[in-house]
Amino acid sequence: MQEELNQFERNDVWELVLCPPSQTIIGTKWVFRNKLDDQGNIVRNKARLVAQGYCQEEGKNGFIRGKVDTTLFVFEKGQDCLLVQIYVDDIIFGATNDSLCKKFSKLMQGEFEMSMMGELNFFLGLQIKQCQEGIYISQSKYTKELLKKFGIEEGRTVSTPMATNVKIDKDEKGKSVDESKYRGMIGSLLYLTASRPDILHVVCLCARFQNNPKESHMSAVKRIFRYLKGTIQYGLFYPKNENFSLKGYSDSDYAGNIDDRKSTSGSCQFLGDCLVSWFSKKQNCVSLLTAEAEYISSAFCCTQLLWMKQTLADYKCSFENVPIFCDNISAINIAQNPVHHNRTKHIEIRHHFLRDCVSKRKIEISFVPSQDQLADIFTKPLSSETFSSIRARLGIMHIQ
């Protein structure tokens, strides 16, 4: 605590003055935290004095702020660039030239009291391992903590997070379970999907029943943990290569929800061979045709790719005619046909922007055989063989 107060004094953070009349004082409080490494060992005890509100005037500097991400700063010098990403009081930075990193580090340490942690290996619960082949990102430490917290350290493991012969519904006649515990398990699993997209579909499915969970829902959640127990060391691998193309995969599970017959949209996006974005979401309306469900799912994928194009512009990357791979020919025909007809007139207008993007060559929708549809894993339970194959192609693998 004294170190924190000394830093305020050294950096001339405040000036003590009398309170102006009729003004409300903004309260402060101490926040204590143990900073851990990727093995769970305490490396630093931190004390922070924080205010309940603040106001900051914007100043000028030599960096270009990101257009989409306002916490991203880019510094360019000739053909080289330095990227700086800020999260609260933590900073990640990297450059195409090591000298830029060293100069930035020296500059920051000269201006602020800060610790240099060296090469990035642990950040916001993510374990990062860098090597010649690429980068591994995992949450094995967090996974072990969850298994211990919810008492699922013992017992057999399973090869998939969801059985193919089980249909999860409201189960209104089933026996209720502890809502608080169920919600805690779901919330913990949702955080884990940051590095484990292979459990996203079933976690999102189980999350729909948080208001009134039953024993059948708890059983499905415990199966996810049993799957995680057998794949603790799995995570995402980002290979180092020159392929920097942007592409997306889109799929749907037509009328898959037993309770309301709505379909589930699933999508994933790649930058080269690296999986960078994924989602699984129940559609808002009931689709009358399989093609309609697939078309709506492709529209969701399109919005994500357009956002990514904008974000990547901050990194000086531009893309045109970005491909979306879909395994339904009828949905592709709808996207490529500018004429409305009876089969599509009932589809909400907001989804037809996909057609507009295709006509303007911002997006290209292409056919992919069902066996190569990587978004399948985000829409439905799969057999062990198919699940393992797609998991590997997404870059989810065992990390040593």
Side-chain angles (χ1 to χ4, degrees), residues 95-263:
T96 54
N97 189 320
D98 191 51
S99 64
L100 287 179
C101 284
K102 292 178 180 177
K103 288 180 181 178
F104 177 74
S105 174
K106 185 177 180 180
L107 171 66
M108 295 298 289
Q109 288 183 304
E111 292 289 332
F112 304 101
E113 290 281 339
M114 60 186 299
S115 302
M116 289 298 299
M117 306 304 291
E119 184 177 275
L120 181 66
N121 54 43
F122 191 67
F123 187 71
L124 300 179
L126 295 173
Q127 294 162 248
I128 297 117
K129 180 181 178 181
Q130 303 183 49
C131 60
Q132 289 294 324
E133 297 78 23
I135 298 174
Y136 294 91
I137 296 179
S138 68
Q139 290 172 283
S140 57
K141 171 180 169 289
Y142 179 68
T143 304
K144 292 176 184 177
E145 291 173 353
L146 292 186
L147 293 171
K148 183 178 180 180
K149 178 181 178 181
F150 296 113
I152 315 179
E153 293 177 284
E154 303 298 329
R156 65 184 181 89
T157 61
V158 291
S159 59
T160 62
M162 184 178 180
T164 55
N165 60 348
V166 174
K167 290 288 186 180
I168 303 176
D169 59 10
K170 289 181 179 179
D171 191 15
E172 294 177 339
K173 295 182 180 180
K175 185 178 179 181
S176 297
V177 296
D178 185 351
E179 285 187 24
S180 178
K181 181 180 179 181
Y182 186 84
R183 289 174 180 173
M185 296 171 86
I186 292 296
S188 299
L189 289 170
L190 283 171
Y191 184 68
L192 188 58
T193 60
S195 68
R196 295 298 300 268
D198 49 331
I199 65 170
L200 180 65
H201 167 61
V202 65
V203 172
C204 290
L205 178 59
C206 291
R208 299 173 190 171
F209 309 105
Q210 292 182 80
N211 286 334
N212 188 18
K214 305 293 184 179
E215 285 185 340
S216 60
H217 306 137
M218 181 63 81
S219 177
V221 170
K222 287 183 177 179
R223 180 187 172 96
I224 303 172
F225 280 100
R226 294 206 310 275
Y227 166 72
L228 291 172
K229 181 176 178 291
T231 57
I232 291 176
Q233 299 298 331
Y234 275 58
L236 283 168
F237 175 59
Y238 292 97
K240 181 181 180 181
N241 56 46
E242 300 298 324
N243 182 6
F244 216 61
S245 58
L246 183 62
K247 61 184 176 183
Y249 289 82
S250 170
D251 190 40
S252 75
D253 180 26
Y254 175 64
N257 189 285
I258 298 175
D259 297 310
D260 55 20
R261 308 313 296 178
K262 291 181 180 177
S263 306

Side-chain angles (χ1 to χ4, degrees), residues 165-360:
N165 60 348
V166 174
K167 290 288 186 180
I168 303 176
D169 59 10
K170 289 181 179 179
D171 191 15
E172 294 177 339
K173 295 182 180 180
K175 185 178 179 181
S176 297
V177 296
D178 185 351
E179 285 187 24
S180 178
K181 181 180 179 181
Y182 186 84
R183 289 174 180 173
M185 296 171 86
I186 292 296
S188 299
L189 289 170
L190 283 171
Y191 184 68
L192 188 58
T193 60
S195 68
R196 295 298 300 268
D198 49 331
I199 65 170
L200 180 65
H201 167 61
V202 65
V203 172
C204 290
L205 178 59
C206 291
R208 299 173 190 171
F209 309 105
Q210 292 182 80
N211 286 334
N212 188 18
K214 305 293 184 179
E215 285 185 340
S216 60
H217 306 137
M218 181 63 81
S219 177
V221 170
K222 287 183 177 179
R223 180 187 172 96
I224 303 172
F225 280 100
R226 294 206 310 275
Y227 166 72
L228 291 172
K229 181 176 178 291
T231 57
I232 291 176
Q233 299 298 331
Y234 275 58
L236 283 168
F237 175 59
Y238 292 97
K240 181 181 180 181
N241 56 46
E242 300 298 324
N243 182 6
F244 216 61
S245 58
L246 183 62
K247 61 184 176 183
Y249 289 82
S250 170
D251 190 40
S252 75
D253 180 26
Y254 175 64
N257 189 285
I258 298 175
D259 297 310
D260 55 20
R261 308 313 296 178
K262 291 181 180 177
S263 306
T264 298
S265 290
S267 177
C268 56
Q269 291 76 33
F270 286 79
L271 199 55
D273 298 322
C274 303
L275 177 66
V276 292
S277 178
W278 52 90
F279 75 83
S280 176
K281 185 179 184 296
K282 185 170 74 168
Q283 295 181 3
N284 295 327
C285 56
V286 177
S287 297
L288 302 182
L289 304 165
T290 304
E292 179 185 348
E294 295 278 357
Y295 180 69
I296 291 173
S297 184
S298 296
F300 281 132
C301 182
C302 178
T303 60
Q304 183 68 7
L305 286 171
L306 292 178
W307 177 83
M308 291 176 68
K309 284 179 63 175
Q310 285 183 291
T311 303
L312 289 166
D314 286 337
Y315 298 90
K316 309 302 178 185
C317 300
S318 60
F319 304 91
E320 294 298 330
N321 226 15
V322 178
I324 295 177
F325 294 103
C326 173
D327 60 4
N328 187 282
I329 294 177
S330 296
I332 295 173
N333 290 337
I334 294 173
Q336 294 175 342
N337 184 3
V339 180
H340 290 267
H341 49 75
N342 291 335
R343 294 186 65 192
T344 61
K345 66 181 181 182
H346 64 282
I347 300 176
E348 290 186 47
I349 293 175
R350 64 192 178 94
H351 298 301
H352 286 304
F353 85 97
L354 174 60
R355 250 185 213 159
D356 185 57
C357 291
V358 171
S359 66
K360 293 178 179 177

Side-chain angles (χ1 to χ4, degrees), residues 3-17:
E3 286 178 7
E4 177 79 343
L5 294 175
N6 291 342
Q7 277 200 23
F8 285 157
E9 188 173 339
R10 283 194 296 269
N11 293 329
D12 200 20
V13 170
W14 60 42
E15 179 184 357
L16 190 63
V17 298

